Amino acid sequence: MHISVIGTGYVGLVTGVCFAKLGHTVTCCDIIKEKVDAINAGRPSIFEPQLEELLKGAINKGLFRATTDIDHTVRDSDVSFICVGTPSQPDGSINLQFIRSAAESIARSMKDGHTIIVKSTVVPGTTESLIPIFTSSKKKFHLGMNPEFLKEGSAVQDFMNPDSIVIGYSDDYSRKLLEELYRPFTCPKITVNLRTAEMIKYANNSFLATKISFINEIANICETAGIDVTEVAHAIGLDQRIGSKFLRAGAGFGGSCFPKDIKALVAWSKSKVYSPKLLQSVLDLNADQPLRMIDILKSVVGTINGKRVSVLGLAFKPDTDDVREAPSIKIVDQLLKIGAIVTVYDPKAMDNFRSIFGDKVKYASDIKSCLKGADATLLVTEWDEFSKLTIEHFKLMKSPVIIDGRRALDPDKLLKMGVTYLGIGWKNK
Ligand code: UDX
């Protein structure tokens, strides 16, 4: 099949490269020429395991290329996937401007009988709302909605091994086309109408975010009673009705999806005259959760003004350079407000963090230089290399104090070394 993909962000690039790996001919479109040139040179615009290797392989086989020429690309393809961003408006509601302009570009260039599939996360009813744009082209078209469930850091793996595939369709042709495209996958395929497909994606993300805020609330309660939340999470996770995944307590969820999508669902639902109570609480709890680390810090070092605080981990999670909505931003911002001298280190996300904080913080080139002379260290992202901290690292600090915001370290080992260990959901009292 000849596939055009509009947008070369996480979803677009991973989708395009993976469809090429499955043997289709894919062209990805973006309006930013530098991005397109880099992709054609085999350099993905994002850091994602396996992506570069697959991209280079697909380019070499002649199955993949990127372009700024959306008109020719759409005209020469059988199906277009819309994979553009759906950012938040200031009030949290979804901004659909890129979806609409992608639809207008496709409508302008498509051949009769073209299929358009929306892959971006959009509030229910959005895909249907594009119908007048395509109808105005006076050409026949087919419309589908096929949400993605990719996690940053394992996006290729997630695309190739999904738990399920959601096929939202408006007519038999779009359903059959999506079934054909996903034929190599053996997982369950859920065939539903367009707005149900859109809602499934929001329900999925909302449930996962709720699970995280739930365990974070339990963690905050555990702290007051000398209970280790990881023991509680492990035990309840064995109940198959609950399940063990997404029960890691910590400094809160960030990233390009959970915060934006839950806010969009809440705002959209309010516009439909239902004000979600549970999801609003999920967001409220998550907004405060990063600052719990500062409360714990105060409880051990007292006043923070003038103290040297090192921050390990800036990305919203490990194995990515993405700092969008990362808890590190709130934590560092607050530390600076209350007069801390902050040094940060992250294996991949330093440049992205620097573009937000500039020279307000010091950037260390490795863990040791980050810890040197610090009154306390905050572990905010659980990169693998932080789990290997030794006494040699802590000896560099002014006082060996670590606050584990991801429960990634072994408290017993650290306490035996003479380190003052505190953490979210740990027996801090
Ligand atoms: C998420 C969804 O998982 C994915 O299906 C969707 O398509 C996009 O949004 P992503 O944002 O890449 O993916 O990362 P994910 O691994 O889900 O983590 C999101 C945030 O939740 C991170 O900040 C992570 O640290 C946090 N998290 C996750 C927890 O705090 N505890 C957990 O147990 C799991």
Side-chain angles (χ1 to χ4, degrees):
M1 230 179 273
H2 280 253
I3 300 174
S4 56
V5 175
I6 320 303
T8 61
Y10 258 96
V11 180
L13 194 56
V14 172
T15 301
V17 167
C18 289
F19 275 139
K21 172 77 183 161
L22 294 172
H24 299 287
T25 306
V26 180
T27 308
C28 273
C29 303
D30 206 290
I31 47 173
I32 304 168
K33 186 168 180 308
E34 295 74 48
K35 232 173 150 182
V36 163
D37 291 344
I39 293 170
N40 282 330
R43 291 194 311 274
S45 41
I46 45 171
F47 167 73
E48 189 61 41
Q50 296 181 56
L51 187 60
E52 187 166 337
E53 188 188 317
L54 284 189
L55 172 65
K56 285 182 174 152
I59 293 172
N60 289 341
K61 280 192 181 151
L63 291 176
F64 183 94
R65 69 187 184 89
T67 178
T68 52
D69 181 358
I70 186 165
D71 289 347
H72 280 95
T73 304
V74 169
R75 194 168 310 141
D76 295 341
S77 65
D78 308 300
V79 50
S80 295
F81 278 83
I82 299 184
C83 300
V84 295
T86 50
S88 295
Q89 315 254 36
D91 67 352
S93 64
I94 193 167
N95 177 347
L96 293 170
Q97 104 187 66
F98 302 116
I99 295 281
R100 296 228 165 81
S101 68
E104 280 157 12
S105 301
I106 294 169
R108 195 172 57 227
S109 326
M110 66 186 188
K111 287 183 303 208
D112 217 31
H114 195 69
T115 302
I116 307 105
I117 309 291
V118 176
K119 219 178 203 326
S120 306
T121 302
V122 290
V123 291
T126 303
T127 305
E128 276 165 58
S129 77
L130 303 177
I131 290 175
I133 299 178
F134 299 119
T135 309
S136 69
S137 72
K138 309 262 189 285
K139 289 167 229 161
K140 278 203 198 105
F141 66 92
H142 309 282
L143 194 55
M145 203 287 146
N146 169 225
E148 56 73 29
F149 298 92
L150 312 177
K151 295 186 292 300
E152 291 187 22
S154 59
V156 171
Q157 169 73 12
D158 292 342
F159 187 97
M160 291 301 193
N161 303 286
D163 289 339
S164 66
I165 291 169
V166 176
I167 294 177
Y169 71 102
S170 60
D171 55 69
D172 274 355
Y173 190 91
S174 54
R175 177 175 58 77
K176 283 186 186 145
L177 182 138
L178 282 169
E179 282 171 352
E180 181 57 30
L181 262 178
Y182 287 111
R183 208 198 329 216
F185 297 86
T186 52
C187 66
K189 288 161 198 157
I190 315 300
T191 317
V192 290
N193 65 25
L194 298 174
R195 56 177 60 206
T196 307
E198 292 165 331
M199 190 63 198
I200 289 170
K201 170 70 186 186
Y202 279 101
N204 203 292
N205 275 356
S206 298
F207 186 81
L208 294 173
T210 302
K211 229 176 152 183
I212 299 169
S213 274
F214 163 80
I215 200 64
N216 284 342
E217 179 137 282
I218 296 292
N220 299 344
I221 298 170
C222 283
E223 273 171 43
T224 66
I227 299 164
D228 178 359
V229 72
T230 61
E231 292 177 352
V232 177
H234 172 68
I236 63 171
L238 294 173
D239 183 330
Q240 289 186 20
R241 294 168 301 176
I242 296 175
S244 60
K245 292 186 178 155
F246 279 71
L247 280 182
R248 283 180 287 111
F253 58 78
S256 62
C257 291
F258 286 166
K260 165 179 84 75
D261 292 347
I262 318 309
K263 279 180 206 156
L265 182 60
V266 168
W268 176 76
S269 179
K270 279 184 181 163
S271 77
K272 301 278 166 203
V273 206
Y274 174 75
S275 193
K277 298 172 194 70
L278 177 63
L279 296 182
Q280 188 56 55
S281 300
V282 168
L283 288 173
D284 292 346
L285 201 131
N286 196 58
D288 291 345
Q289 195 64 13
L291 303 178
R292 301 269 319 160
M293 291 195 71
I294 297 185
D295 292 341
I296 300 173
L297 177 64
K298 279 183 189 157
S299 74
V300 63
V301 302
T303 170
I304 289 175
N305 191 20
K307 295 267 163 50
R308 293 185 175 274
V309 180
S310 55
V311 174
L312 291 179
L314 304 170
F316 83 95
K317 67 175 197 179
D319 297 319
T320 175
D321 61 355
D322 197 341
V323 299
R324 282 177 287 178
E325 302 273 347
S328 62
I329 297 174
K330 256 192 193 154
I331 292 168
V332 170
D333 196 45
Q334 182 61 17
L335 284 173
L336 292 173
K337 272 190 192 134
I338 54 180
I341 301 153
V342 181
T343 306
V344 301
Y345 169 71
D346 187 285
K348 290 270 177 221
M350 299 286 263
D351 288 346
N352 287 335
F353 201 75
R354 200 189 306 260
S355 68
I356 302 171
F357 282 92
D359 57 9
K360 289 185 190 148
V361 299
K362 289 191 185 129
Y363 299 89
S365 53
D366 53 27
I367 302 177
K368 283 190 173 162
S369 47
C370 187
L371 264 52
K372 207 166 177 188
D375 291 285
T377 293
L378 307 185
L379 191 152
V380 182
T381 316
E382 67 278 31
W383 285 92
D384 213 26
E385 62 181 90
F386 301 151
S387 64
K388 299 179 187 106
L389 290 174
T390 64
I391 191 65
E392 301 311 317
H393 291 101
F394 291 103
K395 275 185 188 161
L396 297 166
M397 295 178 68
K398 194 168 157 201
S399 44
V401 174
I402 188 151
I403 296 160
D404 185 353
R406 292 292 170 190
R407 300 306 311 276
L409 307 174
D410 180 346
D412 293 334
K413 202 173 111 193
L414 292 171
L415 290 166
K416 268 188 212 136
M417 282 183 201
V419 173
T420 304
Y421 175 94
L422 296 108
I424 286 185
W426 172 247
K427 309 164 198 173
N428 297 330
K429 292 240 152 55

